[in-house]
Structure formats: C-alpha cells, structure tokens
Amino acid sequence: MRKDIILRLASLGYTFDTDKDGWVIGFVIDKVTNTIRNETNLSEIPEGLYQIAVDMACAEFLKAKKASGDLNGFVVDLNEVLLNKESQGDTSFSWGTDKVMSAEERLNALIEHLLNYGKPQFSAFRRLKW
C-alpha cells in the first residue's frame, strides 16, 4: 500500500521525501487500516475498498502535513471551470462556478473528497459484530 500511496501523492503533485515523510506514511496507513477495519468489522481491508483506503491515506497524509505547516510549494491545480455566461436571444447558458477558489480552499476540497467519497461503500462490506 505504501508504494501506491506514494504514487497517488505524486499524481496529485506532491513530491515525496523519504527521510521526512516515511514515518508519516506508516502512521496514516495504520490509521486508515484501523478505521476501515473498525467500520466494516473485518480483519483485513477488502479488495473492493483498497483504492478508497489509498485515497483516504493520501488525505490523512496531506491533512497532517498541512496542519504541521509542512506543505510548502504544494499547489492543487484542479483546472476548475470559471463561470461562463452566454446569451443568445432570450436563451441564457451558464456553467462552472461563480467563485474562484483560493489555493487553501482547493486543498481542503481535495482532502475532503479523498477522505469521504468512498465511505458510503463501507456498508457493502460491513459485517455484524457480536
């Protein structure tokens, strides 16, 4: 899982530093693994939740790095669509968003997405606990 988390972080634009980030990666892997196991009451992460676990670990990693102030130079580029309005006669079209997000808002949105988008899928793997 460690290698996949590092590759996923790289795909998001984070440059991994083995000396500084190695311990943090191990910690977030344990944290996410325990969270998923506790939510599903399983002893192992099911194959169907593996990518969700990787994304959750990336979110926890970025959240920890942000909280410690150690995300210098990391910028989230979401290539967001700006509000665009077009009118032709009595018909008006608009798409995108009316607000340009700051770098911190984009980072927070990314972290929240990675952390929470897969949680509804936990119920498909949940087992009863006696």
Side-chain angles (χ1 to χ4, degrees):
M1 184 182 285
R2 177 182 292 265
K3 181 181 176 187
D4 290 334
I5 293 168
I6 293 169
L7 290 172
R8 179 70 166 133
L9 287 169
S11 76
L12 297 172
Y14 183 83
T15 304
F16 188 78
D17 182 349
T18 305
D19 295 332
K20 285 186 352 185
D21 299 332
W23 183 86
V24 179
I25 288 287
F27 179 81
V28 298
I29 288 171
D30 290 345
K31 183 176 182 178
V32 168
T33 299
N34 287 334
T35 297
I36 292 173
R37 289 186 342 203
N38 288 336
E39 288 287 327
T40 60
N41 295 319
L42 297 171
S43 59
E44 298 293 325
I45 294 176
E47 185 179 325
L49 294 179
Y50 180 79
Q51 287 80 13
I52 291 169
V54 169
D55 277 354
M56 287 177 68
C58 290
E60 290 289 348
F61 177 84
L62 293 172
K63 193 163 68 168
K65 297 297 275 186
K66 179 185 174 206
S68 68
D70 197 20
L71 269 180
N72 298 334
F74 179 70
V75 178
V76 179
D77 180 15
L78 299 179
N79 295 321
E80 66 183 328
V81 179
L82 300 178
L83 178 68
N84 192 346
K85 290 186 179 182
E86 189 174 313
S87 297
Q88 290 183 343
D90 62 347
T91 305
S92 176
F93 303 96
S94 66
W95 60 90
T97 178
D98 60 353
K99 179 182 172 197
V100 177
M101 296 170 68
S102 71
E104 184 171 8
E105 288 172 325
R106 289 191 310 265
L107 176 61
N108 290 340
L110 174 65
I111 289 171
E112 285 303 310
H113 172 74
L114 292 174
L115 195 58
N116 295 313
Y117 83 93
K119 285 187 177 179
Q121 295 180 36
F122 287 1
S123 61
F125 297 92
R126 193 166 286 140
R127 301 286 186 255
L128 291 176
K129 185 175 182 179
W130 296 96

